[in-house]
Amino acid sequence: YLALIVAMYFLAREYLEDHELALTAAALVGLSYPVLKYGIEGYSETGALFLFVASLYLTVRLCKEPSSRLFFSNVGLVTVGFLWKEYSIVAGLILAAAFLSHSRISLATKVRSSVAAVFIFAAVHIPWQLYVNYAYHFNYLKWSTTSAAGFSVEFTLKNVVKSLAAILGLAWILVPFGVFPLSSMKPFQRLFSFCATPIPFIAFLWGYISSRTFYVIAPPMVLFAVRGMRTW
């Protein structure tokens, strides 16, 4: 829980380049309903969210100044994070989108690094998933069947609206002011914003509806909301 708050502070300071706004962002995360309810209990959420936010921090730094060290450090975080929870897929997709879209990275570097990243991830998780299936008779195909059941039971407009509202509260009002106008953003902020805004909404594919499972949407939106405080 405390590591998540610290990680959020560094992410916000890197993105917003403002100490006070970064403190505000960290407070919004640390005092949010889903984090207070689930993040301080013995769920897998705590470690998973910390690694998720830490990955976003490295992605922002990569948007600012791309380097192989930052990229592969981030790949390492995503790989380790996936041992906790599927949230790391969201962080990995944001990293991939930012890396592949970066104008200062050559095509050859993008291809080589992407192949290496897939190899690193697969080298850890294919053997691990085979072991889990052998030892516990459970795999992601069975998980997807369970998740599909959630769509039929919980996927209602009321549940979706309630869970989305819970992750940010009234701060949702400020999000558009933090995103637009795009011309007021620095290039690295625009790149990160384009990548980090839509991708977390794949949380809808988890099946079961909860502010806990939706919380991967929150960290980027918190950045925009806090930025909106300054531009509103």
Side-chain angles (χ1 to χ4, degrees):
Y1 172 73
L2 295 175
L4 169 62
I5 295 172
V6 172
M8 189 64 209
Y9 167 78
F10 279 102
L11 167 62
R13 191 179 68 175
E14 195 70 31
Y15 177 80
L16 299 167
E17 298 182 324
D18 187 292
H19 168 68
E20 292 183 359
L21 291 179
L23 288 175
T24 303
L28 283 175
V29 168
L31 298 175
S32 67
Y33 166 77
V35 171
L36 287 175
K37 181 170 176 59
Y38 303 106
I40 58 177
E41 296 180 2
Y43 285 93
S44 58
E45 252 64 30
T46 311
L49 285 174
F50 160 66
L51 291 168
F52 174 72
V53 172
S55 174
L56 294 184
Y57 164 70
L58 291 183
T59 298
V60 172
R61 290 188 58 189
L62 184 80
C63 290
K64 276 186 174 181
E65 192 61 45
S67 74
S68 295
R69 180 180 61 82
L70 283 173
F71 177 76
F72 285 106
S73 295
N74 208 338
V75 169
L77 277 179
V78 171
T79 301
V80 172
F82 196 68
L83 294 170
W84 265 264
K85 204 168 180 65
E86 296 75 22
Y87 295 163
S88 279
I89 291 298
V90 181
L93 290 174
I94 294 172
L95 168 63
F99 183 74
L100 295 174
S101 302
H102 208 297
S103 60
R104 292 168 53 194
I105 303 174
S106 69
L107 178 60
T109 299
K110 290 175 181 178
V111 172
R112 286 196 304 268
S113 298
S114 297
V115 170
V118 171
F119 177 80
I120 292 168
F121 187 87
V124 172
H125 286 285
I126 289 177
W128 176 246
Q129 294 303 324
L130 290 173
Y131 167 74
V132 169
N133 187 62
Y134 172 78
Y136 302 103
H137 310 291
F138 189 80
N139 55 53
Y140 276 106
L141 291 176
K142 294 180 180 179
W143 174 79
S144 64
T145 301
T146 305
S147 184
F151 279 101
S152 61
V153 176
E154 297 189 1
F155 209 92
T156 65
L157 180 61
K158 176 184 176 182
N159 285 344
V160 170
V161 171
K162 181 178 69 173
S163 296
L164 283 176
I167 66 175
L168 221 63
L170 293 175
W172 275 112
I173 298 171
L174 294 170
V175 170
F177 296 95
V179 176
F180 301 104
L182 292 173
S183 58
S184 65
M185 290 185 176
K186 295 182 178 180
F188 81 89
Q189 291 173 324
R190 282 198 297 272
L191 176 59
F192 180 80
S193 300
F194 277 127
C195 298
T197 300
I199 291 175
F201 284 90
I202 67 171
F204 284 93
L205 299 179
W206 300 163
Y208 287 92
I209 305 302
S210 166
S211 59
R212 175 178 65 86
T213 57
F214 278 1
Y215 203 73
V216 288
I217 298 170
M221 297 301 130
V222 166
L223 295 178
F224 306 145
V226 173
R227 186 173 184 273
M229 293 178 183
R230 182 169 57 187
T231 58
W232 194 11

